[in-house]
């Protein structure tokens, strides 16, 4: 059978299996084993266990649970509340300042946690009720947090970028640097849209109802500065070549645990256990997906699907920008149905050689790829952030949240367009700090 036809069957089978609600790792493993058995016989299954564990035999993967512990420590403590309070107190005089405070809090918390759902949950629990109380429309209040939460997979240190680096064998430090300025660009676009919306409503939002003294503005800062210093420290040792991502993540996780104990008095063994338990569950989920994706990739390669798809795309008589548009549309559709980690592990190793052959920078493409995945986080049917927000405010319907998030999706599309015109936004910082490569 033609490998492209087999590839189509694999794609359809994957969609059907994952649509059943089965966990992603088990779904990918089931499809991979099923097609190996169907086309190569029972003997081909001898490599299943070896291939699965080989996908996890990468030292850099140690950084994933460490960064997750780092984020869980922050998410489980009042650090998010303090971060939100600080921004609210400093920006409350700005028209529409509360929504800007929420997006700013999302961007900073995203850097602390590296997780979009955690960012949505932590900032949404505080920000959405406060915005609704002050007169913000439900759609804008919920949509802004849903979109702001997606920054967690772009602004470093990002777990998604780590997975991308491992899947494509590219530098994780350079990926972090590539995502920094685009992350700030996206945050700025979100804030500009929020200001425009506030202006459209005649600056009617009652942000200035609460007036804070200078003492109130400064008193919260000592509690959040140590966490911000950890981010700066982790990024410094990474970019300065002082430590590997795994080492930097381990030290960052340890310091975050120490800080939540010292600053917030979370010394009870049960609270520490909850942080470690939540981190373990998320880490195992991601690592299982990585192992299953390694098996899935082996199946695609063994059946010559990967090679045939790459050859087919490379043989298309189209310009490189048309190729990029096709790839973007493919990633958007994939992001509608699969979580970012799964899409990256399944498609990035196939797409990256094609992108490089077309003349695009691989780290710039990683940013484009990630922004596409961000859009997927706030679009149905998966749209994980939408369901997190709906869980926080169940009286606000999913269509209302989706409608509120739609303008922010357009901001992401605009960011992709800006990066296509000015790729230096993603490439300048890594080239400046780490040299061209």
């Amino acid at each position: 059978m033609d490998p492209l036809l087999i590839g189509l069957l694999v794609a359809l089978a994957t969609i059907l299996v994952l649509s059943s609600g089965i966990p992603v790792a088990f779904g990918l493993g089931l499809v991979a084993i099923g097609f190996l058995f169907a086309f190569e016989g029972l003997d081909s299954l001898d490599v299943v266990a070896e291939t699965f564990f080989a996908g996890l035999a990468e030292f850099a993967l140690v950084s994933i649970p460490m960064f997750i512990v780092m984020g869980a420590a922050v998410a489980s403590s009042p650090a998010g509340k303090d971060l939100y309070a600080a921004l609210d107190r400093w920006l409350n005089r700005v028209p529409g300042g509360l929504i800007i405070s929420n997006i700013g809090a999302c961007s900073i918390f995203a850097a602390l946690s590296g997780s979009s759902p955690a960012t949505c949950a932590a900032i949404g629990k505080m920000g959405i009720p406060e915005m609704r109380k002050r007169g913000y429309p439900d759609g804008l209040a919920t949509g802004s947090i849903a979109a702001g939460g997606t920054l967690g997979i772009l602004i470093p240190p990002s777990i998604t970028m780590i997975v991308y680096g491992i899947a494509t064998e590219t530098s994780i430090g350079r990926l972090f640097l590539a995502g920094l300025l685009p992350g700030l660009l996206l945050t700025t676009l979100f804030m500009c849209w929020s200001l425009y919306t506030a202006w459209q409503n005649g600056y009617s939002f009652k942000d200035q109802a609460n007036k804070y003294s200078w003492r109130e503005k400064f008193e919260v800062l000592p509690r959040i500065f140590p966490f911000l210093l950890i981010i700066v420290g982790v990024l410094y040792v990474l970019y300065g070549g002082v430590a590997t991502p795994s080492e930097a993540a381990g030290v960052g996780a340890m310091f975050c645990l120490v800080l939540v104990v010292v600053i917030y008095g979370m010394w009870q063994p049960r609270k520490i256990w909850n942080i470690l338990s939540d981190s373990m569950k998320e880490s195992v989920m991601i690592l299982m997906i990585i192992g299953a994706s390694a098996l899935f990739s082996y199946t695609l390669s063994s059946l010559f699907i990967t090679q045939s798809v790459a050859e087919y795309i490379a043989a298309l008589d189209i310009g490189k920008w048309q190729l990029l548009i096709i790839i973007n549309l493919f990633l958007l559709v994939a992001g509608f149905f699969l979580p970012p980690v799964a899409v990256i592990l399944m498609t990035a190793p196939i797409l990256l050689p094609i992108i490089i052959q077309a003349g695009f920078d691989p780290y710039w493409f990683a940013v484009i790829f990630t922004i596409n995945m961000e859009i997927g986080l706030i679009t149905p049917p998966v749209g994980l952030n939408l369901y997190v927000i709906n869980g926080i405010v169940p009286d606000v319907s999913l269509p209302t949240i989706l409608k509120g998030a739609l303008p922010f999706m357009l901001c992401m599309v605009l960011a992709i367009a800006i990066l296509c015109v000015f790729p230096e936004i993603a490439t300048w910082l890594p080239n400046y700090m780490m040299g061209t490569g």
Side-chain angles (χ1 to χ4, degrees), residues 10 13-14 17-18 22-37 45 48 52 288-297 299 346:
V10 170
T14 304
V17 170
L18 295 181
I22 189 174
V24 173
F26 296 116
L28 292 178
L30 180 63
V31 172
I33 292 172
F35 274 86
L36 268 181
F37 174 73
L45 301 185
V48 168
F52 184 92
M288 284 290 289
I289 293 175
I290 291 173
S293 295
L295 181 58
F296 189 83
S297 298
T299 300
M346 292 168 60

Side-chain angles (χ1 to χ4, degrees), residues 59-373:
F59 182 71
L61 286 174
V62 175
S63 63
I64 293 178
M66 292 296 100
F67 275 122
I68 289 174
V69 169
M70 183 175 162
V74 175
S76 301
S77 72
K81 181 179 179 181
D82 286 339
L83 174 62
Y84 173 79
L87 289 172
D88 182 29
R89 293 178 187 185
W90 282 92
L91 296 175
N92 75 305
R93 305 293 295 177
V94 178
L98 182 59
I99 193 170
I100 294 176
S101 300
N102 278 282
I103 294 173
C106 282
S107 65
I108 298 173
F109 195 90
L112 283 166
S113 69
S115 167
S116 290
T119 302
C120 276
I123 304 302
K125 287 176 183 176
M126 298 167 288
I128 294 174
E130 190 66 23
M131 282 192 284
R132 296 176 75 190
K133 185 173 75 175
R134 298 195 198 180
Y136 286 81
D138 288 347
L140 181 60
T142 55
S144 62
I145 298 293
T150 66
L151 296 169
I153 66 172
L154 180 60
I155 296 177
S158 161
I159 294 170
T160 304
M161 285 290 197
I162 295 171
V163 173
Y164 184 95
I166 293 168
T168 58
E169 299 181 352
T170 47
S171 165
I172 294 173
R174 190 177 285 272
L175 286 170
F176 280 179
L177 282 173
L180 185 58
L181 292 182
L184 296 177
L185 168 67
L186 206 50
T187 302
T188 302
L189 290 175
F190 288 172
M191 289 181 173
C192 288
W193 171 253
S194 303
L195 278 175
Y196 174 73
T197 306
W199 173 79
Q200 268 195 325
N201 285 268
Y203 296 143
S204 60
F205 301 145
K206 302 173 183 178
D207 288 350
Q208 300 182 30
N210 296 337
K211 295 185 178 180
Y212 300 102
S213 66
W214 285 105
R215 180 178 177 277
E216 290 175 314
K217 289 182 178 181
F218 279 103
E219 68 180 0
V220 73
L221 296 183
R223 294 197 294 273
I224 65 172
F225 271 148
F227 291 100
L228 299 181
L229 287 175
I230 287 178
I231 298 177
V232 174
V234 167
L235 298 181
Y236 172 77
V237 298
L238 276 176
Y239 306 147
V242 178
T244 65
S246 301
E247 294 165 345
V251 174
M254 182 191 71
F255 276 121
C256 278
L257 286 172
V258 170
L259 285 179
V260 297
V261 171
V262 172
I263 297 176
Y264 298 109
M266 295 178 63
W267 51 267
Q268 296 91 337
R270 180 181 294 274
K271 291 183 178 179
I272 300 298
W273 172 252
N274 287 339
I275 292 173
L276 298 178
S277 176
D278 291 344
S279 302
M280 178 68 74
K281 291 175 184 176
E282 187 172 351
S283 299
V284 169
M285 176 193 71
I286 292 175
L287 292 173
M288 284 290 289
I289 293 175
I290 291 173
S293 295
L295 181 58
F296 189 83
S297 298
Y298 171 82
T299 300
L300 295 183
S301 178
S302 180
L303 299 178
F304 295 98
I305 297 170
T306 305
Q307 301 89 323
S308 298
V309 170
E311 289 174 5
Y312 175 77
I313 295 176
L316 290 175
D317 189 19
I318 57 175
K320 70 176 194 175
W321 293 107
Q322 292 171 300
L323 174 65
L324 184 67
I325 291 172
I326 293 172
I327 290 175
N328 271 286
L329 291 174
F330 166 73
L331 292 175
L332 277 174
V333 173
F336 292 165
F337 298 97
L338 294 169
V341 169
V343 178
I344 287 171
L345 291 167
M346 292 168 60
T347 64
I350 301 174
L351 295 176
L352 189 61
I354 298 168
I355 284 293
I356 293 174
Q357 185 178 345
F360 292 111
D361 184 271
Y363 296 95
W364 168 86
F365 176 67
V367 174
I368 299 294
F369 196 122
T370 304
I371 295 176
N372 277 292
M373 295 302 96

